[in-house]
């Protein structure tokens, strides 16, 4: 073949209407996909921008040190206090209780699903468990307030109508599907050769699960719990409904106390004048929430990446 | 010695002594094996000689790994596995594949090393000790002694003695495989099964493991599956040639490789098929 015919063949291909259409279509698809991806990044960026700019007036008037150390949060009182501690402790109480429920249950369930359940049982159980995640959170909230709290009052003396204990427990049930789903994935990603090695050394299935599979899936399981915790911290409806809306620095989870999210809901419902200091407290509280969940999500993200690379 | 040993752990006690004239460690007789409907082994019978290396060779899919995995009942992990016939462990004649024999107890007497190194996600020390813990051994100094002995037997002690607390994943592939050999040796098994132990390793690591296997036969009876005929010729005392789930020929390694009695064996060894 001479160089001339090669060039002309290339030119012919280049000029083919069919191939040109394909090139244009591929370009359009790529642009569409890119703009979808860019949109989600833009929205995240916009949220951060709004949180930061709207909370700036707050931090210009309230010293940051007072914000962190003041033990009262009373932004709409005449003698206003702006200490985030009551909201923060309530948030961590509720999320901590949720984790106390979800950690042991989640571990047992995911070990059962990945190591003990027959495939047919697993296929039946997982969708049922995932249905828990499909229940609207407002339903969980009223379930906690109107059903579980009255029930729990019979066993727990001194339990208030609004309290941190019951919504914490309910949130634990709520994050269970996430925790189980991610940690079960991590456990199943542990190679079969490790399980065979464990059996070959004479381990029982229980020993294999706890001495080989869980250590092997450790970073993934930890990531699951971090993400679950982050979700519990950001959860709104359950605590807003069942934990009360009174900022209350307390060490007793039987009392009601407003979490950060509950406070934001409460303030957003009222008619606060735009630009007032009370209005900007919403964004200051939101910023704190954002920083906490971002921290746990990032930690979980890096751990998950680590376990993907392990094998 | 720890009291728990005698009760919970037959394999940790000294191996049952064989009388000097008894040279058979295990005897496979008329062994059939099924994966659900598929029959993978057809009436296999062969002896495993005591303190010798027995190699099982044959083309891919011939059932050599399947046969090896019967010795420690690892097939029991997967539903549908079914054995018929016997693998008798001498001198007691315990049938390892009998339904009435607990597979976990079988695995306490038979150690195994796999194709790909599979160290547990633990430290080097804990890896080797795991088989001892499973048998109820808790005495710290005894565990340490056993771990050191096993690491020396597996010819890896010099490379790891300063970093026993480090994760096993930090070792190279060849070191990981020798660690797995140490893990299998620590409980002093009566049989050591090696399933293509060098297939994932480079030639240097392979040479190290081959010379190690020859030494191991002083202490333990070894059954090795390999697709590498040179390896079988170099390290084994007896060789079994399998094809299509059947044992075609069994004999002294030298005889199998120099003067096979069955044409199929000769064709395979000379590279005409496989």
């Amino acid at each position: 073949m001479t160089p001339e015919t090669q060039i002309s063949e290339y030119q012919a291909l280049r000029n083919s209407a069919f191939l040109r259409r394909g090139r244009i279509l591929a370009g359009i698809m790529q642009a569409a996909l890119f703009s979808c991806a860019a949109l989600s990044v833009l929205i995240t960026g916009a949220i951060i921008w709004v949180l930061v700019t709207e909370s700036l007036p707050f931090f210009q008037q309230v010293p940051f040190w007072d914000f962190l150390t003041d033990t009262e949060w009373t932004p709409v009182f005449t003698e206003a206090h702006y200490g985030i501690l009551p909201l923060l402790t309530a948030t961590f109480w509720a999320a901590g209780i949720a984790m106390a429920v979800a950690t042991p249950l989640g571990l047992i369930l995911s070990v059962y699903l990945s190591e003990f359940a027959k495939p047919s049982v697993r296929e039946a159980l997982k969708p049922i468990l995932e249905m828990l995640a499909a229940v609207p959170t407002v339903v969980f909230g009223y379930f906690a307030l109107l059903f579980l709290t009255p029930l729990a009052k019979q066993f727990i003396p001194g339990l208030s109508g609004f309290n941190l204990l019951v919504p914490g427990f309910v949130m634990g049930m709520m994050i269970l599907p996430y925790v189980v789903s991610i940690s079960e994935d991590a456990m199943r990603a542990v190679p079969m050769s490790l399980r065979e090695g464990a059996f070959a050394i004479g381990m029982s299935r229980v020993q294999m699960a706890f001495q080989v599979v869980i250590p092997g899936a450790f970073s993934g399981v930890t990531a699951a719990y971090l993400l679950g915790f982050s979700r519990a911290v950001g959860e709104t409806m359950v605590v807003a409904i069942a934990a009360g809306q009174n900022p209350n620095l307390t060490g007793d989870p039987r009392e009601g106390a407003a979490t950060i999210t509950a406070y934001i809901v409460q303030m957003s419902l009222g008619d606060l004048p735009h630009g007032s200091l009370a209005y900007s407290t919403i964004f200051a509280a939101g910023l704190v929430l954002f920083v906490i969940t971002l921290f746990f999500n990032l930690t979980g993200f890096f751990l998950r990446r680590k376990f993907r690379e392990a094998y | 010695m720890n009291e728990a040993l005698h009760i919970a752990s037959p394999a940790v006690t000294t191996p049952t002594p064989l009388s000097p004239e008894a040279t058979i460690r295990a005897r496979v007789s008329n062994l059939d094996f099924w994966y659900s409907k598929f029959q993978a082994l057809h009436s296999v019978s062969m002896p495993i000689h005591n303190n010798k290396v027995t190699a099982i060779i044959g083309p891919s899919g011939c059932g050599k790994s399947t046969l090896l995995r019967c010795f420690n009942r690892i097939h029991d992990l997967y539903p549908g596995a079914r054995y018929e016939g016997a693998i008798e462990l001498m001198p007691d004649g315990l049938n390892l594949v009998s339904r009435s024999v607990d597979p976990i107890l079988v695995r306490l007497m038979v150690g195994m090393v796999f194709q790909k190194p599979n160290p547990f996600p633990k430290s080097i020390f804990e890896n080797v000790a795991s088989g001892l813990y499973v048998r109820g051994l808790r005495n710290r100094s005894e565990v340490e002694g056993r771990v050191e002995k096993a690491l020396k037997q597996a010819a890896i002690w010099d490379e790891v003695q300063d970093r026993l607390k480090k994760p096993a994943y930090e070792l190279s592939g060849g070191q990981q495989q020798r660690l797995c050999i140490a893990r299998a040796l620590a409980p002093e098994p009566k049989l050591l099964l090696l399933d293509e132990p060098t297939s994932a390793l480079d030639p240097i690591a392979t040479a190290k493991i081959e010379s190690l296997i020859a030494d191991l036969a002083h202490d333990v009876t070894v059954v090795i599956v390999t697709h590498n005929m040179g390896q079988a010729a170099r390290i084994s005392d007896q060789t079994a040639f399998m094809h299509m789930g059947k044992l075609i020929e069994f004999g002294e390694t030298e005889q199998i490789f120099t003067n096979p009695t069955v044409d199929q064996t000769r064709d395979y060894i000379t590279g005409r098929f496989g």
Side-chain angles (χ1 to χ4, degrees):
Chain A
M1 222 187 276
T2 65
E4 285 78 24
T5 54
Q6 266 178 22
I7 286 165
S8 65
E9 229 171 85
Y10 175 75
Q11 287 295 347
L13 281 172
R14 213 179 130 82
N15 295 336
S16 146
F18 175 75
L19 292 181
R20 185 180 294 169
R21 263 206 310 280
R23 275 202 299 275
I24 291 169
L25 201 65
I28 292 172
M29 282 307 293
Q30 204 179 341
L33 294 174
F34 175 78
S35 37
C36 289
L39 189 67
S40 66
V41 175
L42 268 177
I43 290 174
T44 311
I47 290 172
I48 296 172
W49 172 253
V50 169
L51 278 178
V52 170
T53 52
E54 294 283 350
S55 57
L56 258 179
F58 175 84
F59 287 112
Q60 276 161 358
Q61 289 183 51
V62 178
F64 194 62
W65 184 247
D66 288 358
F67 179 67
L68 289 184
T69 56
D70 198 327
T71 56
E72 278 182 71
W73 178 261
T74 51
V76 288
F77 287 15
T78 32
E79 200 193 321
H81 283 273
Y82 300 99
I84 193 74
L85 273 179
L87 300 184
L88 211 56
T89 45
T91 302
F92 278 111
W93 258 119
I97 292 165
M99 291 315 286
V101 172
T103 305
L105 270 181
L107 203 61
I108 292 168
L109 257 169
S110 40
V111 165
Y112 172 72
L113 284 176
S114 96
E115 306 305 318
F116 290 88
K118 285 188 202 148
S120 56
V121 176
R122 176 170 52 227
E123 294 321 309
L125 265 179
K126 270 198 108 174
I128 295 175
L129 190 67
E130 272 150 20
M131 261 162 56
L132 268 183
V135 176
T137 55
V138 62
V139 175
F140 275 118
Y142 280 101
F143 178 69
L145 180 68
L146 302 178
F147 179 75
L148 275 186
T149 298
L151 193 72
K153 269 184 171 176
Q154 297 175 4
F155 306 102
I156 304 165
L159 189 70
S160 312
F162 291 116
N163 59 75
L164 290 164
L165 200 58
V166 174
F169 174 82
V170 168
M171 283 205 302
M173 302 306 291
M174 255 177 58
I175 60 175
L176 198 59
Y178 298 93
V179 169
V180 170
S181 176
I182 300 173
S183 44
E184 195 231 340
D185 281 348
M187 287 179 197
R188 288 223 275 162
V190 172
M192 205 57 207
S193 65
L194 274 187
R195 293 189 179 83
E196 288 190 344
F199 281 116
I201 206 87
M203 287 189 190
S204 67
R205 203 169 272 270
V206 174
Q207 288 171 319
M208 181 270 293
F210 284 90
Q211 294 179 32
V212 174
V213 175
I214 292 180
F218 184 75
S219 54
V221 173
T222 315
Y225 286 109
L226 286 174
L227 294 176
F229 185 74
S230 165
R231 218 190 110 76
V233 165
E235 168 50 34
T236 307
M237 284 318 283
V238 176
V239 279
I241 292 166
Q245 310 206 322
N246 178 31
N248 175 14
L249 183 62
T250 177
D252 183 355
R254 291 175 304 174
E255 292 177 20
T259 63
I260 297 176
T261 50
Y263 171 76
I264 293 173
V265 170
Q266 181 195 10
M267 283 296 133
S268 316
L269 293 176
D271 1 88
L272 290 166
H274 185 97
S276 67
L277 186 58
Y279 178 81
S280 65
T281 58
I282 295 176
F283 293 92
L287 191 64
V288 170
L289 195 63
F290 178 77
V291 169
I292 297 170
T293 52
L294 184 72
F295 172 75
F296 284 104
N297 276 334
L298 283 181
T299 317
F301 173 76
F302 284 120
L303 279 173
R304 245 153 83 92
R305 233 181 33 176
K306 203 182 136 218
F307 100 78
R308 293 248 157 108
E309 284 167 6
Y311 310 113
Chain B
M1 256 235 224
N2 193 325
E3 181 69 12
L5 285 184
H6 299 293
I7 304 158
S9 49
V12 169
T13 55
T14 359
T16 327
L18 291 171
S19 54
E21 64 272 18
T23 54
I24 305 299
R25 181 36 106 179
R27 187 182 293 283
V28 183
S29 41
N30 297 318
L31 183 69
D32 295 323
F33 178 79
W34 284 266
Y35 291 109
S36 297
K37 297 249 162 57
F38 173 70
Q39 186 169 2
L41 295 179
H42 298 266
S43 193
V44 174
S45 298
M46 63 187 271
I48 304 294
H49 291 261
N50 192 42
N51 282 33
K52 299 283 184 205
V53 178
T54 303
I56 307 174
I57 60 169
S60 301
C62 70
K64 55 189 191 298
S65 278
T66 304
L67 173 59
L68 190 77
R69 290 158 70 93
C70 290
F71 281 87
N72 71 344
R73 300 271 299 270
I74 205 92
H75 291 302
D76 289 33
L77 300 185
Y78 305 95
R82 191 158 64 83
Y83 314 82
E84 241 158 63
I87 300 178
E88 288 171 299
L89 193 64
M90 297 301 168
D92 309 323
L94 175 77
N95 182 5
L96 298 178
V97 299
S98 159
R99 218 167 303 213
S100 60
V101 170
D102 182 349
I104 289 184
L105 298 184
V106 170
R107 293 174 202 137
L108 293 177
M109 297 187 282
V110 181
M112 184 165 187
V113 176
F114 295 82
Q115 272 187 21
K116 266 178 65 188
N118 57 354
F120 299 145
K122 299 177 176 196
S123 71
I124 292 168
F125 181 90
E126 294 294 316
N127 258 282
V128 183
S130 58
L132 303 171
Y133 296 152
V134 167
R135 286 155 177 82
L137 197 64
R138 287 287 179 275
N139 181 303
R140 189 73 195 167
S141 64
E142 202 182 341
V143 170
E144 281 173 2
R146 292 284 197 98
V147 168
E148 181 177 337
K149 186 180 168 211
L151 287 168
K152 282 177 174 161
Q153 277 181 300
I156 191 179
W157 172 252
D158 293 340
E159 291 153 72
V160 299
Q161 57 172 323
D162 310 326
R163 44 175 177 156
L164 293 172
K165 298 247 157 59
K166 290 276 171 64
Y169 286 143
E170 288 179 7
L171 298 174
S172 73
Q175 289 174 325
Q176 287 188 8
Q177 194 62 308
R178 277 179 285 147
L179 180 70
C180 291
I181 293 175
R183 185 175 70 189
L185 286 173
E188 298 180 358
K190 294 178 160 59
L191 270 181
L192 179 66
L193 313 174
L194 306 173
D195 188 0
E196 300 193 22
T198 60
S199 63
L201 305 180
D202 63 63
I204 292 168
T206 299
K208 270 191 191 155
I209 293 202
E210 283 187 8
S211 72
L212 162 65
I213 292 169
D215 293 340
L216 282 181
H218 297 302
D219 305 317
V220 64
T221 303
V222 178
V223 185
I224 179 170
V225 161
T226 177
H227 63 265
N228 178 337
M229 280 180 291
Q231 184 171 73
R234 282 191 296 275
I235 64 173
S236 71
D237 301 296
Q238 282 83 32
T239 296
F241 171 64
M242 292 186 66
H243 185 50
M244 308 271 282
K246 294 191 178 84
L247 181 72
I248 305 297
E249 188 167 358
F250 175 86
E252 294 297 312
T253 299
E254 207 184 322
Q255 175 254 314
I256 295 277
F257 279 92
T258 54
N259 190 20
T261 53
V262 185
D263 288 345
Q264 242 174 331
T265 315
R266 177 175 300 117
D267 289 349
Y268 181 68
I269 285 165
T270 54
R272 238 173 273 173
F273 87 104

